[in-house]
Amino acid sequence: MSVKHQWILWMIVTVCLLAYFTLSLTRQPGGMAQTFLPGVTTHGHYQIEMQCLVCHTPGMGVKQESCMDCHGADLKRSTDTHPRSKFTDPGKMHLLTKLDARHCTTCHQEHVPDRTLAMGLSLPKDYCWHCHQEVGEQRPSHADFAYDSCATAGCHNYHDNRALFENLLVEHHGEPAMLEKQLVEPRNFGDSWQARYSESRKTLAAEENDAPEGLGYDEQISTDWAATAHAAASVNCSGCHTSEELEWTNHPTHESCGACHDSQVAGFLEGRHGMRLAQGLSPMTPSAARLPMYATNGHAELTCSACHTPHKYDTAYAAVDACVKCHADEHSTAYLDSPHYDLWQSELAGEGKPGSGVSCATCHLPRLKNAEKETFVQHNQNDNLRPNEKMVESICHQCHGLQFSLDALADEVLIKNNFQGEPEVHVESLDMAKHWFDERARLREEAKQKREGG
């Protein structure tokens, strides 16, 4: 073979290999992408790591808009204290020399597990100090704090400071460990829906189901359905089992559920249970989780039906049984021996007041109000976990005093045994805030007296 032919052959092989690797990298999902992962992905993104183009350009650059597509709404809800606009203000351009926060990847780089901290932070933890080093001089109480301790006990977070703030700390200083009420907010989505449509809806009986003839389903299904809120709200079989093309489907998707339960489905897709579905991937399964899970349910697909048993929609089952049949971590398994579980059992038995029980869902699927003031369940189970102080206002503080709540959430041992016992950690934030407010009031009073005397 001549040298010319050898060169042509080499070029053909090279082009073919490049085309193969390019197609493998960009094919969605998977392909050769796994081979070319530059490093382990964070817990927040590993489920979708095979969907490279969700975050990357074809040239493997990072798309800023990808971050905002998934996290923008949450940043807006949290009234982000460090928005991008703060760093594009010409008057504050000097801040860019300390932290170029115009780009998410300045603080949150992926595939660098050796330097990735909690919250996906890939910067050293002392990043606050570079812009706020005067705090130690302005607040004597902060003078001896370590440079990397700003987020300790949830006091200061870069984006979201809704969990704790000084007025809240001072207002609830000195509260007892147990508050008087000890009840969680009741759900009223179903009642509200019934009230809105009661005139045009009626409760349907089992024999009124509109499933197609010849479907061959178990009669127990229609009996179960007739006992649900769906039948009571006149939602017939076709309401869930008919696609947008008006074709019957035996397996409705989350999109069918979202036609009526849009807030719940939106939260589900934002959380770890539904984020794969949000990107067009197959459902998450417990076997693919990084947390310990029971192998017996390893291949269960996490759709709405995984927790809400089809045709029964038992919310009590979804609140506990659906969780503990999969989660095998220390915190989850200890729940069944906890005082919270005892309260849950008491409520189910009718011995405790409605709202007095504490299920898995009580803490991890908090109840929120939508625009219509309806109380619905947030189905993003990760929404109040990072940092865990976000649970205080929405959950813990409905039964426990603020100091007790913060101490318990800071006690790693207590978290692992699912709060069986008293916290042995003391968070000083409330005392510090109270002291600061008292001292500030004293100084103002002294200044006032000086002015009046002078």
Side-chain angles (χ1 to χ4, degrees):
M1 184 182 295
S2 67
V3 173
K4 179 180 178 181
H5 287 120
Q6 288 180 8
W7 272 105
I8 292 174
L9 179 61
W10 178 84
M11 290 178 66
I12 292 173
V13 171
T14 301
V15 170
C16 289
L17 285 174
L18 284 174
Y20 171 72
F21 286 126
T22 301
L23 287 173
S24 296
L25 282 170
T26 55
R27 193 177 66 188
Q28 303 299 319
M32 291 287 288
Q34 181 74 53
T35 305
F36 290 93
L37 276 178
V40 176
T41 317
T42 62
H43 293 304
H45 292 148
Y46 85 95
Q47 288 192 39
I48 58 172
E49 64 186 8
M50 292 298 99
Q51 288 281 58
C52 304
L53 294 184
V54 170
C55 301
H56 294 282
T57 63
M60 291 300 107
V62 178
K63 297 184 289 187
Q64 171 87 3
E65 62 269 25
S66 297
C67 307
M68 300 311 294
D69 286 345
C70 291
H71 302 285
D74 189 44
L75 288 173
K76 188 176 182 179
R77 286 195 297 269
S78 65
T79 58
D80 185 7
T81 49
H82 290 82
R84 186 174 186 275
S85 58
K86 188 175 208 172
F87 295 86
T88 55
D89 181 346
K92 297 180 180 177
M93 291 294 284
H94 63 284
L95 295 175
L96 297 181
T97 61
K98 300 177 180 179
L99 187 73
D100 188 356
R102 296 172 300 175
H103 310 290
C104 303
T105 51
T106 297
C107 303
H108 303 284
Q109 292 185 21
E110 265 296 355
H111 310 295
V112 286
D114 56 321
R115 55 185 175 88
T116 300
L117 308 173
M119 310 283 285
L121 178 69
S122 51
L123 278 182
K125 286 196 296 184
D126 65 347
Y127 62 94
C128 301
W129 178 83
H130 295 285
C131 290
H132 299 287
Q133 51 193 277
E134 76 287 352
V135 170
E137 301 170 3
Q138 296 174 349
R139 297 283 186 95
S141 60
H142 289 54
D144 297 328
F145 284 2
Y147 295 144
D148 59 356
S149 64
C150 302
T152 302
C155 293
H156 305 287
N157 294 293
Y158 187 88
H159 293 294
D160 185 351
N161 283 299
R162 289 173 297 171
L164 299 177
F165 47 92
E166 287 179 330
N167 287 334
L168 175 77
L169 298 175
V170 173
E171 182 181 353
H172 297 283
H173 181 269
E175 284 181 339
M178 300 301 301
L179 300 180
E180 184 176 351
K181 187 178 176 184
Q182 299 178 33
L183 294 174
V184 297
E185 185 80 13
R187 289 179 289 117
N188 67 354
F189 176 80
D191 294 339
S192 176
W193 199 90
Q194 286 278 19
R196 271 187 284 160
Y197 299 104
S198 59
E199 294 183 358
S200 58
R201 304 276 178 166
K202 68 165 189 170
T203 298
L204 298 174
E207 58 273 18
E208 294 181 278
N209 80 79
D210 64 355
E213 293 184 4
L215 197 60
Y217 62 88
D218 188 332
E219 290 296 330
Q220 184 62 42
I221 290 178
S222 57
T223 303
D224 291 340
W225 160 77
T228 67
H230 280 170
S234 195
V235 178
N236 216 318
C237 305
S238 58
C240 303
H241 285 275
T242 303
S243 68
E244 289 186 358
E245 293 76 26
L246 301 180
E247 295 179 353
W248 179 268
T249 174
N250 286 336
H251 302 288
T253 66
H254 62 277
E255 292 167 337
S256 297
C257 305
C260 294
H261 304 281
D262 54 339
S263 297
Q264 292 88 337
V265 170
F268 166 69
L269 295 176
E270 289 176 356
R272 302 287 170 82
H273 287 165
M275 63 186 296
R276 284 180 57 84
L277 287 172
Q279 299 301 334
L281 293 167
S282 58
M284 176 63 175
T285 61
S287 61
R290 287 180 173 176
L291 290 174
M293 298 284 167
Y294 291 114
T296 49
N297 289 298
H299 298 292
E301 293 189 337
L302 300 187
T303 63
C304 301
S305 297
C307 302
H308 297 281
T309 46
H311 308 112
K312 290 184 178 178
Y313 312 107
D314 184 348
T315 53
Y317 175 86
V320 170
D321 303 73
C323 310
V324 298
K325 75 177 183 182
C326 291
H327 287 268
D329 59 279
E330 194 172 351
H331 173 80
S332 299
T333 55
Y335 166 72
L336 299 178
D337 296 318
S338 72
H340 285 163
Y341 181 67
D342 292 340
L343 290 169
W344 175 246
Q345 290 297 298
S346 179
E347 180 181 341
L348 291 182
E351 299 165 357
K353 294 180 179 178
S356 61
V358 183
S359 66
C360 306
T362 301
C363 299
H364 297 292
L365 304 178
R367 296 174 181 184
L368 307 177
K369 289 190 181 296
N370 61 20
E372 288 74 34
K373 305 298 182 186
E374 298 164 338
T375 302
F376 72 99
V377 174
Q378 162 64 284
H379 280 59
N380 177 359
Q381 77 285 359
N382 304 105
D383 187 58
N384 62 1
L385 288 180
R386 298 290 184 275
N388 68 3
E389 288 82 8
K390 291 169 73 174
M391 301 177 77
V392 170
E393 275 202 279
S394 60
I395 302 300
C396 309
H397 203 209
Q398 297 187 46
C399 300
H400 297 284
L402 186 57
Q403 182 70 67
F404 183 92
S405 301
L406 290 176
D407 292 348
L409 290 172
D411 191 330
E412 292 293 333
V413 174
L414 208 56
I415 291 173
K416 286 183 179 178
N417 72 20
N418 214 300
F419 307 104
Q420 299 180 49
E422 300 290 323
E424 296 186 1
V425 173
H426 179 65
V427 175
E428 299 178 1
S429 304
L430 278 84
D431 297 332
M432 291 171 55
K434 181 68 166 54
H435 177 75
W436 165 249
F437 272 49
D438 291 347
E439 181 65 10
R440 190 172 61 180
R442 185 185 67 77
L443 293 174
R444 286 174 176 172
E445 181 62 23
E446 285 183 359
K448 178 183 177 184
Q449 291 179 5
K450 190 176 291 184
R451 287 194 304 272
E452 293 175 349

